[in-house]
Structure formats: structure tokens, C-alpha cells
């Protein structure tokens, strides 16, 4: 099936070329980082994780969201998702690939990466995160490829793949739960020390992932003339609606808990993010933008008429994606480290080189995504014809 | 009475079973195998006399430590420090009140607490951070992958990361102690290398009697003696990390 990836239009090749160029720039920036160390980043003694780990955390959510289609399709036999499921699974493959790349570019000694396997340490959550992420990558490549192959031959998928599909459901939940556990078991980091972190991660994942998938469906429709189907998109839109409401509700729960208890160790981080602390307020406009975008999206999506209008739905999906990205890709990490355990404030702002590396990783992810989608849509069109 | 005692024994038995199945969750710290802190063997500890320390003395402690351990001086937020002086209100947040501030801001020394239940050891994915049987929390610089998870886990800000090559910032080097490379984490080691030679930590020596050092499990050690006589506090005791550094008030 891979041959479908090497036959394409000028736009297709142009797009891949553009991505390759961005990957090249990112790689160059990474070479500088390898040479100079992480000193080229905006991270510090106080904020020891930054943009890379934040993007990793966000993308784990995008990857996990494929489960929102696997469950209806395989547990409830909801056939409308049959058409787009492969898009969700391949999105998961691309997202997990980016996650792994982000972990690698974040390491101070990347060449020692395999120490994690040479000295397996079950009490470290990072060890388990590696295990579940790699497992999920493997599961999605396997399931995606086998079901697509069956579809091409116009036969039902082989029955041995079923257990893998069912396994992928709890596995998807596990990748985001374990990623939340990376943060929420740490003493002295009040912002993360909350049992609702994993549910919050899942809620924002099930909002941002399907929202992104809806956007991808529209893009696929425009560029390949293959229609993923109105019903599938509408069902995804409902999922996004419920999930973004849940996400905002969870945020409200957190705000109540820290606000009413008034315990400084927990409260100060929220103050810093939403109102600024001792004159430091870099993230305030961002955080409010996130909340407002989320609320606006809810207002739009609650009305079925809005969901049915393609343009409005796409706009709402952009809002949802933005809201979740700011919350996890910016606020979650910085808010956790500021103020530090000594209640000192060191702000974190990513540097240009850091952003270039980040962009390079995203481009690599989109490169993988484009090729996988090219193959998937090629097969779909062949079958439809 | 009898039945309640039986019930207690049952519950105790059950929880003991639970602990034996899942010990890593409760005592997840012991990569080093350690007995430290369990009432047997040596457990090194420090008692810092906050009344005796003054700015000059603290500076000497910091200098003694940083010069023999090749800790570079970097003037940026990516700096490295093993031991440093900080105001009380930062070391003991939550224990200060506004009337204390009428006194000029008091400083004292901060360093790794060599916790009995160290969260930094718990999270390290490579066992590069480990606890020795004598309770000292150590780092293997050659195994560390630089994920900085331990920095997120330490609730005392005791760890530093080599964002850049530290040798660039060293004017003089102590040839008896290794320098580090970029990309690894480092922190105070309670001068493990000196203890192994029977010496006391460098800062203890430099403090001229303002820091006591010894075995917490030995009732006759100078730390135990001074802890018996004076009132002492530890940093963030509520977190359950069980610090081995005590502050005499
Ligand atoms: S003070 Fe921090 S670095 Fe030192 S042992 Fe405790 S948790 Fe680890
Ligand atoms: S930075 Fe090094 S010592 Fe710290 S957790 Fe990672 S591997 Fe362990």
C-alpha cells in the first residue's frame, strides 16, 4: 500500500517539501542544542521543564483521542465511524511519534536514552510512560495497517486483530493517565498535586483530539475530493461538545478547591497564571484567552444548527483546539514550576532556537501524518470507485 | 475488648500483607538497598545552628563546598549551587508570620536534605539518583540521562542541572574531584568522598562549630546530643520526605 504515498499531485509534493525544509531548520537548531546543551532554551534551575515537555503532554492527548472512535465503532457497532476511524488511528501514530521525539529533544544526554531500558526502574513513572507510549504506537500502527489492508481487499479484518483493538481502548486511556501521573505524584508541587489531573487531561484530550480530527476531515475533503461523511463529523462534533464542557467543569472544580481552601501552596500557581504574582504576568492574557475560547466554543457548539454549518463548526473546533493547547501546551508546565518550592518566581519564556526545534518536531509529525493519510485516502478512494 | 483486639490484629495482618505485595509504593526510595533511617546502621545527618551562622560564615561554607567540588559560578537563572544562603521565609514558607519580618531578614543555609524518603530517588528512571545504605542520596553522573524529573520532584529546590558545559565556568579546578559534563543533574552529596576517608563534610568544617554532623542512629553522636538539647525544625515536614538536615532555632 505504501506505493500510494509516492504518487501524488504537485500540491502534495510541495507540502512534503515544505515540511522537509522545516524539519531541516529544526534539525539545525537541534544540532546547536546538542553542541551547547539545553542552555539554548529558556529553561532554568527553577523551571526545569519547558516547551518540549509541554508539547509532549498536549500531544499525548491528541493521540489518546482515537479511542473516542474506537469505542463507538467496535463496542457499539456505530458504522458511521468506519469511514474515518483510520484517520483517527493514523493521527494517533503521528501524535505519539511527536511525543517520543519531544522526549528525546528534551534530554540532556540523549545518547544515554537506553539507560531507561538497561536499568528498568518500575517506581519511576517515566519508565511506565515510555512503556505505554511505545506500546500505543505499536498498537495503532498494527491495527491501522491491518484493517486498511483488509478494507482494500474488501474483506472483513482478520479476527486475530480484534483483541488488539479491544486492548487499544484501555491502552489509550492509560497513556494519558500515566502522563498525568508524571506530574500529580510530586510532593511540593501544589499545582499538580491533584487527583483530578488525569481526568482533566482526558477531558481536554477528548475535546482537542476530535476537534483536530474534524479539521483534518475538512482538509482531506478539500484536497483529496474524498468525503469522510457528514454523519461521522457530526458525531465527532457532539463528542467535542461534551468533552470541552467537561474540561471547563473540571477546571472549575480545581479553581473552587484551591480558591476556597486558600492554601497558598496550591493557590499561588493559579494566581500566577490568571492574575499574575508580584508583577510577573506573562501568562495572564494567554490563560484568559484559553478560558474565553473554551467558553465561546461551548456557546457555539451547544446549538445544533451551528454544528451543522461546516464553517461555524470548523471555527468552533479551532477555538477548542486553541483553548486546550494553551492550557496544556503553555500553562500546565509553567504554572507548575512557578512559583518554585521556595516561593521564588522565575518566569519561563521559550527561546527562538527552542521554538525552532519544536516546529521541526511538529513538521516531522505532519510529515508522517501526510504520508499515512495519503495511503489511507488512496485506499478508501480505490474501494469507493 | 477481646474481639476488638482480634480485629486489630486482623487488620494489622492484612495491611502487612498489602505492604509486602506493594512495598515500592510505600517505601519507594530504597534503590540503594538502604537500611538508613530504619533504626539500624549509620544514617548521616546535619544540624545547622541558625543562631551561630552569620553571613561571613555562610559565605565560607559555600566557598568551601563549591571550590572542592568544582561547582561553577554561573551568573544566570541556569546556575548551579549545592549549598547556598536563603532567607528563612523561603526555606520555611508557611511557618513565617508578619511580626517576624520586623526583625531584619534572617538568612540560613540550604542544601540537599538527604531525605529518608527522597522523592528524587523515587522518580529517577535510570537509578542515576540513588540512596546509599547510610542515607546519603547520591548521583551517578555517568548514568543520568538529563530528564530532570528529579528536579521536578525535589520539593526543596536542591538540585541543579548542567544546562551548559560547566568546565567553561571553572577558573580553578580541584583535581581530586571530578568535573561534570553538560546535560546532567548534580547536587550536594554530604561530602560522601570525605566521609569515606573519615573526614567531616567541608561545610561542617568551614562553619567552625555552627553545623553539627553525625549518625542519627547513634544516641551518642553530636547531632543527637544537640537535637536533644535544642529545639529544631526541618523543612516542609508535612511532605513526608523525612529530611536529615535539622535547623536549630
Ligand atoms: S532534598 Fe531534594 S534532592 Fe535532596 S534527597 Fe530530598 S528530595 Fe532528593
Ligand atoms: S535527570 Fe538524571 S538523576 Fe535526575 S531523574 Fe533524570 S536520569 Fe535521574
Amino acid at each position: 500500500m505504501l506505493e500510494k504515498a509516492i504518487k501524488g499531485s504537485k500540491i502534495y509534493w510541495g507540502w512534503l517539501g515544505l515540511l522537509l525544509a522545516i524539519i531541516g531548520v529544526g534539525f539545525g537548531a537541534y544540532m546547536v542544542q546538542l553542541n551547547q546543551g539545553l542552555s539554548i532554551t529558556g529553561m532554568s534551575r527553577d523551571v526545569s521543564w519547558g516547551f518540549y515537555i509541554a508539547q509532549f503532554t498536549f500531544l499525548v492527548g491528541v493521540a489518546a483521542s482515537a479511542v473516542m472512535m474506537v469505542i463507538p465503532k467496535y463496542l457499539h457497532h456505530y458504522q458511521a465511524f468506519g469511514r474515518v476511524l483510520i484517520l483517527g488511528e493514523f493521527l494517533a501514530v503521528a501524535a505519539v511519534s511527536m511525543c517520543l521525539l519531544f522526549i528525546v529533544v528534551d534530554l540532556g544526554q540523549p545518547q544515554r536514552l537506553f539507560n531507561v531500558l538497561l536499568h528498568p526502574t518500575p517506581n519511576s513513572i517515566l519508565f511506565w510512560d515510555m512503556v505505554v507510549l511505545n506500546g500505543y504506537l505499536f498498537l495503532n500502527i498494527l491495527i491501522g495497517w491491518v484493517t486498511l489492508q483488509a478494507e482494500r481487499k474488501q474483506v472483513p479484518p482478520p479476527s486475530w486483530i480484534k483483541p488488539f483493538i479491544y486492548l487499544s481502548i484501555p491502552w489509550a486511556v492509560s497513556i494519558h493517565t500515566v502522563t498525568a501521573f508524571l506530574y500529580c505524584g510530586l510532593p511540593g508541587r501544589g499545582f499538580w498535586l491533584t487527583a483530578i489531573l488525569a481526568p482533566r487531561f482526558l477531558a481536554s484530550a477528548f475535546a482537542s483530539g476530535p476537534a483536530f480530527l474534524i479539521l483534518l476531515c475538512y482538509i482531506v475533503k478539500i484536497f483529496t475530493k474524498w468525503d469522510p461523511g457528514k454523519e461521522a463529523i457530526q458525531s465527532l462534533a457532539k463528542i467535542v461538545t461534551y468533552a470541552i464542557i467537561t474540561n471547563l467543569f473540571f477546571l472549575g472544580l480545581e479553581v473552587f478547591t484551591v480558591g476556597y481552601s486558600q492554601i497558598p501552596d496550591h493557590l499561588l500557581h493559579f494566581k500566577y497564571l490568571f492574575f499574575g504574582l508580584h508583577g510577573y504576568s506573562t501568562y495572564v492574557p494567554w490563560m484568559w484567552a484559553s478560558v474565553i475560547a473554551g467558553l465561546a466554543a461551548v456557546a457555539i457548539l451547544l446549538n445544533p444548527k451551528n454544528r451543522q454549518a461546516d464553517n461555524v463548526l470548523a471555527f468552533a473546533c479551532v477555538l477548542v483546539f486553541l483553548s486546550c493547547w494553551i492550557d496544556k501546551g503553555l500553562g500546565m508546565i509553567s504554572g507548575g514550576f512557578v512559583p518554585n518550592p521556595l516561593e521564588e518566581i522565575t518566569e519561563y519564556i521559550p527561546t527562538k532556537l527552542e521554538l525552532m526545534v519544536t516546529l521541526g518536531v511538529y513538521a516531522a509529525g505532519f510529515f508522517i501524518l501526510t504520508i499515512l493519510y495519503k495511503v489511507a485516502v488512496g485506499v478508501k478512494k480505490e474501494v469507493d470507485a | 475488648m477481646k474481639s476488638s483486639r482480634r480485629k486489630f490484629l486482623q487488620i494489622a495482618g492484612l495491611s502487612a500483607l498489602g505492604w509486602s505485595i506493594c512495598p515500592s509504593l510505600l517505601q519507594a526510595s530504597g534503590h540503594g538497598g538502604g537500611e538508613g533511617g530504619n533504626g539500624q546502621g549509620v544514617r548521616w545527618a546535619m544540624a545547622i545552628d541558625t543562631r551561630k551562622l552569620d553571613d561571613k560564615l555562610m559565605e565560607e561554607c559555600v566557598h568551601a563546598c563549591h571550590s572542592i567540588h568544582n561547582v561553577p559560578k554561573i551568573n544566570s537563572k541556569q546556575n548551579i549551587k549545592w549549598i547556598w544562603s536563603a532567607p528563612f521565609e523561603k526555606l520555611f514558607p508557611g511557618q513565617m508570620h508578619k511580626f517576624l519580618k520586623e526583625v531584619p531578614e534572617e538568612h540560613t543555609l540550604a542544601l540537599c536534605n538527604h531525605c529518608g524518603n527522597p522523592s528524587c530517588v523515587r522518580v529517577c528512571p535510570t537509578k542515576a539518583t540513588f540512596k546509599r545504605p547510610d542515607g546519603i542520596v547520591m548521583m551517578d553522573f555517568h548514568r543520568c540521562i538529563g530528564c530532570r524529573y528529579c528536579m521536578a520532584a525535589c520539593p526543596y529546590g536542591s538540585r541543579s542541572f548542567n544546562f551548559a558545559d560547566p568546565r567553561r565556568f571553572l577558573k580553578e579546578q580541584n583535581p581530586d574531584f571530578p568535573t561534570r559534563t553538560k546535560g546532567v543533574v548534580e547536587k550536594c552529596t554530604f561530602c560522601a568522598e570525605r566521609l569515606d576517608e573519615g573526614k567531616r563534610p567541608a561545610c561542617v568544617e568551614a562553619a567552625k562549630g555552627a553545623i553539627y554532623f553525625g549518625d542519627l542512629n547513634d544516641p551518642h553522636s553530636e547531632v543527637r546530643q544537640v537535637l536533644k538539647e535544642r529545639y529544631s525544625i526541618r523543612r516542609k515536614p508535612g511532605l513526608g520526605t523525612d529530611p536529615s538536615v535539622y535547623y536549630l532555632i
Side-chain angles (χ1 to χ4, degrees), chain A residues 105-128:
Chain A
V105 298
D106 185 66
L107 292 180
Q109 289 283 336
Q111 75 280 13
R112 294 188 190 153
L113 176 69
F114 287 100
N115 277 2
V116 177
L117 302 175
L118 294 174
H119 311 284
T121 312
N123 46 283
S124 172
I125 304 292
L126 203 59
F127 169 74
W128 292 109

Side-chain angles (χ1 to χ4, degrees), chain B residues 112-115 118-120 137 154-156 158-159 187:
Chain B
C112 167
N113 290 288
H114 297 277
C115 304
S119 39
C120 57
V137 173
C154 173
Y156 306 98
S158 298
R159 296 183 152 249
K187 67 174 212 29

Side-chain angles (χ1 to χ4, degrees), chain A residues 31-172:
Chain A
M31 283 296 131
V32 178
Q33 179 183 305
L34 268 188
N35 186 275
Q36 310 275 311
L38 286 162
S39 56
I40 62 118
T41 69
M43 288 185 258
S44 58
R45 199 177 180 278
D46 289 332
V47 184
S48 49
W49 281 339
F51 215 55
Y52 300 151
I53 291 295
Q55 302 317 303
F56 147 75
T57 308
F58 174 71
L59 288 167
V60 173
V62 174
S65 66
V67 76
M68 289 320 261
M69 277 179 293
V70 176
I71 291 178
K73 170 73 174 57
Y74 286 102
L75 295 187
H76 304 283
H77 304 288
Y78 179 62
Q79 296 309 334
F81 276 162
R83 276 178 84 77
V84 290
L85 185 57
I86 189 76
L87 299 188
E89 268 156 4
F90 281 169
L91 174 59
V93 171
V96 180
S97 309
M98 286 188 262
C99 290
L100 294 171
L101 278 175
F102 272 120
I103 294 183
V104 173
V105 298
D106 185 66
L107 292 180
Q109 289 283 336
Q111 75 280 13
R112 294 188 190 153
L113 176 69
F114 287 100
N115 277 2
V116 177
L117 302 175
L118 294 174
H119 311 284
T121 312
N123 46 283
S124 172
I125 304 292
L126 203 59
F127 169 74
W128 292 109
D129 214 33
M130 284 280 192
V131 171
V132 292
L133 282 176
N134 283 298
Y136 193 65
L137 182 62
F138 165 77
L139 275 178
N140 275 286
I141 293 178
L142 181 76
I143 296 169
W145 206 253
V146 170
T147 49
L148 191 65
Q149 231 163 9
E151 192 169 328
R152 190 185 193 187
K153 293 189 204 124
Q154 309 211 17
V155 293
S159 53
W160 62 262
I161 196 77
K162 275 278 163 70
F164 289 100
I165 292 174
Y166 293 134
L167 179 65
S168 79
I169 295 171
W171 205 290

